Amino acid sequence: MRVLVLGGDGYLGWPTALHLSARGHEVAVLDNLARRQYDTELGTSSLVPIRDLSDRVDAWSRVSGRSITSYVGDLVDFNFLSGVVEQFAPQAIVHFGEQRSAPYSMIDRDHAVYTQTNNLVGTLNLIYAIAVNDPNIHLVKLGTMGEYGTPNIDIEEGFIEITHNGRTDTLPFPKQPGSFYHLSKVHDSHNIAFACRVWGLRATDLNQGIVYGQETPETTLHPDLATRLDYDAVFGTVLNRFIVQAVTGSPLTVYGKGRQTRGMLNICDTLACVELALLSPAEIGEFRVFNQFTESFSINEMAALVVEALPGSHTIDHLPDPRVEAEDHYYRAAHTKLLDLGLSPHLLDGEVIRGIASVVETHRQLVDPSVMRPLVDWRSVTTGAQPPPASPWLRAGQTLVESPNEFSFRSL
Amino acid sequence: MRVLVLGGDGYLGWPTALHLSARGHEVAVLDNLARRQYDTELGTSSLVPIRDLSDRVDAWSRVSGRSITSYVGDLVDFNFLSGVVEQFAPQAIVHFGEQRSAPYSMIDRDHAVYTQTNNLVGTLNLIYAIAVNDPNIHLVKLGTMGEYGTPNIDIEEGFIEITHNGRTDTLPFPKQPGSFYHLSKVHDSHNIAFACRVWGLRATDLNQGIVYGQETPETTLHPDLATRLDYDAVFGTVLNRFIVQAVTGSPLTVYGKGRQTRGMLNICDTLACVELALLSPAEIGEFRVFNQFTESFSINEMAALVVEALPGSHTIDHLPDPRVEAEDHYYRAAHTKLLDLGLSPHLLDGEVIRGIASVVETHRQLVDPSVMRPLVDWRSVTTGAQPPPASPWLRAGQTLVESPNEFSFRSL
């Protein structure tokens, strides 16, 4: 199968591309390298050193004898995107190409607007590029379990049958996302569902849980094939961060009560799920939703697993929750559709945690503890660091008073 | 009350500003005059001549002795918007300032992306401007009944109690919008609900039906105070268009079977509803939704009302439906909250239709029948009229093949 992986230079996009290539698919990646720019902006970097995209692709060619085509450019540039889709002529497109951090989207107005416009316009361009080039292309879009929020009823996979005043319909599951990032994914889901309905596109929305782990069968073939390991408070996913904290003797930072419960999955299961979705594509005109996680844990449970798995004594710091979220809530979410397609989950246990810890141990001299402090506060409203431009629109006699522009990072 | 009306130069924004000013509120309008640019782009114009914003404001001052402050600028420019909010210091902001036409959003990719980014970024900027300047400002946001689509159950006002697997929660009503424009309103609703939850903003989302009529008690005080009357296939609302067609002896153009049923309201009720919402503001942190319409009609019923009310013989043309929508569907939507606040509806009858027809009669020599043809086709996918820019991102040896760029207007 010919598969184009958008965001193919990222934490999950790159190992997905390798996995699909190893399994014999013809793979191209498209990326604007924005994730590397966020590192520069935030003063962070992957704990495991990663190579440039062109070096990675070359290394894969040497190691596997297989080639991955790379396109460097922006989904927001429609003509670039559409040109790639026409030239590579994929049968499926896997879309990881979005700004994926909730805290990043909550830094200030600039980052909120960037996140929503980047994700929304990229995905709008994508559905147009598919529609004009080949409506048969199967779009496999990465969403998030965070689209649902934490309703007080069971979460279903995308749709729910509702009986109301004696009538029944199956409708999109109501969404209560918890950040401007999560909101951008809800916007995407609505836009894609519409494109399937109106233009007969076929799409699978993978509402993914929180991913942990860094090694896959392909990335470990050579150091130049490694994917990112993020542990900072903005882009690091929580289990990876806990393990870095435990290995380096820092307290594990739990936000609030720690009873927030979320769906989780191993990085290897991400790759398997994407391939399963590709091999059993959505029908023409179908917008289907899979909840892509294998287990649910509360933050406290994750911290306890790490403490138990790793030698030494560890402390847990309960910090004030910088997010606005229910700290005690019901959580039960369906996730049977990928299992029905044949997923064999890699479950979380001490051995998995010790495996990640050994990767961290190898690079522990690179750990920067300062980046793990949660400095982005959901409740703090600031508007951005840029100086205000001149406002030619104001009428004579009016004055423009500058709005507060202090940076939003709260010191702990 | 100090009220800032965004989009205050538009079809409904202008008469709302006049109404609030006449009722003794201190009113400012903010507008980027985009609606007038759409006319230039589409080769259309209001059937009733309208004056420039500055002339309208001057006329109101002469006629009423009251002043309306005007700010010309773009909601997408945060510093402009925030400066206005700080300077005018409103207690409430009425937000009509969005691209409001479903067909316009469906012209091609450029118009879809414009509509969604314009509406989304303007509203994001607005919630930030409120949050940083004065979180107590009551946001009264114009949404649309089209956010709901046509589910096979009763539509409630924004939220629905769902019992599922033995548990119950009240959740956002599922949305199935039918165009990129309607989708933009759904995106806005999710973003605003989040801002209320996280920052304690107070907002009323008015999910408005299709508005008809052109005269209000204030706009008829002087010809320079008139608001728009649109009858074209892109911006004209359906009842206004039927009346223009009937008066000028053109066939009434019904799309598809004409059994599509929608909530409707008189322009005077729009003004009353906005004021009722302002006078009973949402609580701090509350995101409330009112369904703002007074009666439901199918397209066929509307056409029949016009035929019956106006003298002469009229023909009805059933054109192929350019939209993708259910032509036969269940439709029952709650709309009691505004009635509970005291709304006395102006219902649709022959006299109302003859009133609008007499306005049309006055300007009938200005009618351009060609603009009433529905040339925007939901099923036609085109990408825009701009030439593709150079793509510096393509690697050496790659070529960019231009995507189809023909314009999307389908001739009937």
Side-chain angles (χ1 to χ4, degrees), chain A residues 31-50:
Chain A
D31 205 296
N32 67 352
L33 312 182
R35 179 66 191 89
R36 297 171 188 258
Q37 293 164 350
Y38 306 148
D39 271 347
T40 306
E41 176 190 2
L42 299 171
T44 53
S45 59
S46 167
L47 183 58
V48 177
I50 56 169

Side-chain angles (χ1 to χ4, degrees), chain B residues 108-159:
Chain B
D108 58 18
R109 187 210 70 95
D110 292 350
H111 289 78
V113 169
Y114 163 74
T115 298
Q116 291 211 349
T117 54
N118 179 70
N119 294 0
L120 183 110
V121 174
T123 298
L124 276 176
N125 280 346
L126 180 57
I127 59 181
Y128 270 95
I130 290 173
V132 296
N133 285 290
D134 178 5
N136 265 320
I137 293 170
H138 178 208
L139 169 58
V140 176
K141 165 69 163 58
L142 272 289
T144 163
M145 287 300 294
E147 294 186 36
Y148 300 114
T150 54
N152 195 33
I153 60 173
D154 292 354
I155 294 169
E156 300 301 327
E157 299 195 67
F159 299 89

Side-chain angles (χ1 to χ4, degrees), chain A residues 242-324:
Chain A
F242 281 168
I243 293 171
V244 170
Q245 290 171 322
V247 167
T248 58
S250 302
L252 280 60
T253 47
V254 168
Y255 302 164
K257 293 182 186 166
R259 296 194 200 128
Q260 307 94 313
T261 300
R262 298 291 183 267
M264 312 274 297
L265 75 164
N266 188 300
I267 187 172
C268 294
D269 288 338
T270 292
L271 314 190
C273 288
V274 168
E275 195 186 9
L276 289 169
L278 290 171
L279 295 177
S280 300
E283 302 293 323
I284 289 175
E286 184 187 9
F287 173 74
R288 64 181 184 178
V289 181
F290 297 163
N291 290 347
Q292 178 163 311
F293 69 99
T294 58
E295 301 171 278
S296 294
F297 296 99
S298 73
I299 307 296
N300 287 335
E301 287 167 344
M302 272 184 266
L305 283 170
V306 170
V307 166
E308 192 181 317
L310 300 183
S313 69
H314 309 285
T315 56
I316 293 176
D317 267 9
H318 282 265
L319 304 182
D321 193 344
R323 303 187 179 207
V324 175

Side-chain angles (χ1 to χ4, degrees), chain A residues 19 58 75 78 82 91 142 179 191 212 236-237 258 261 264 283 298:
Chain A
H19 176 73
D58 291 345
L75 299 179
F78 176 76
S82 187
Q91 293 158 278
L142 271 290
S179 74
N191 282 342
Y212 57 84
T237 59
T261 300
M264 312 274 297
E283 302 293 323
S298 73

Side-chain angles (χ1 to χ4, degrees), chain A residues 32-33 53-54 57 69-74 76-84 86-87 105-109 112-113 116-117 120-121 124-125 127-129 131-133 150-156 160-165 167-180 183-184 186-188 190-191 194-195 197-199 324 330 332 378-383 386-395 397-405, chain B residues 32 53-54 57 69-74 76-84 86-87 105-110 112-113 116-117 120-121 124-125 127-129 131-133 150-156 160-165 167-180 183-184 186-188 190-191 194-195 197-199 324 330 332 378-383 386-395 397-405:
Chain A
N32 67 352
L33 312 182
L53 177 57
S54 57
V57 166
T69 308
S70 67
Y71 299 91
V72 175
D74 204 316
V76 167
D77 176 353
F78 176 76
N79 290 295
F80 166 77
L81 171 63
S82 187
V84 169
E86 179 162 5
Q87 183 181 73
S105 76
M106 297 301 296
I107 290 174
D108 59 18
R109 187 209 71 95
V113 169
Q116 292 212 348
T117 54
L120 183 109
V121 175
L124 276 175
N125 280 347
I127 58 181
Y128 270 95
V132 296
N133 285 289
T150 54
N152 195 33
I153 60 173
D154 291 355
I155 294 169
E156 299 302 325
I160 182 169
E161 185 181 289
I162 300 176
T163 298
H164 178 56
N165 296 350
R167 302 180 65 88
T168 298
D169 200 357
T170 298
L171 295 171
F173 198 97
K175 302 291 181 70
Q176 298 179 110
S179 74
F180 286 118
L183 282 153
S184 76
V186 172
H187 305 341
D188 285 341
H190 281 102
N191 282 342
F194 172 74
R197 183 152 45 90
V198 173
W199 299 334
V324 175
Y330 179 74
R332 187 156 172 273
W378 262 230
R379 293 168 184 83
S380 146
V381 187
T382 48
T383 59
Q386 274 103 46
S391 254
W393 293 109
L394 286 179
R395 299 179 113 191
Q398 294 174 352
T399 53
L400 176 65
V401 184
E402 288 183 28
S403 51
N405 269 317
Chain B
N32 67 352
L53 178 56
S54 57
V57 166
T69 309
S70 67
Y71 298 92
V72 175
D74 203 317
V76 166
D77 175 353
F78 176 76
N79 290 296
F80 166 75
L81 171 62
S82 187
V84 169
E86 180 163 2
Q87 183 181 75
S105 76
M106 297 302 296
I107 290 175
D108 58 18
R109 187 210 70 95
D110 292 350
V113 169
Q116 291 211 349
T117 54
L120 183 110
V121 174
L124 276 176
N125 280 346
I127 59 181
Y128 270 95
V132 296
N133 285 290
T150 54
N152 195 33
I153 60 173
D154 292 354
I155 294 169
E156 300 301 327
I160 182 171
E161 185 181 288
I162 300 176
T163 298
H164 178 54
N165 296 349
R167 303 180 63 89
T168 298
D169 200 358
T170 298
L171 295 171
F173 198 97
K175 301 292 180 71
Q176 297 180 111
S179 75
F180 286 118
L183 281 154
S184 77
V186 172
H187 306 339
D188 285 340
H190 280 103
N191 282 343
F194 173 74
R197 183 152 44 90
V198 173
W199 299 333
V324 176
Y330 179 74
R332 186 155 173 273
W378 262 232
R379 293 166 185 83
S380 147
V381 186
T382 48
T383 60
Q386 273 102 48
S391 252
W393 294 110
L394 285 181
R395 299 177 113 193
Q398 294 174 351
T399 53
L400 177 66
V401 185
E402 287 184 29
S403 51
N405 270 318

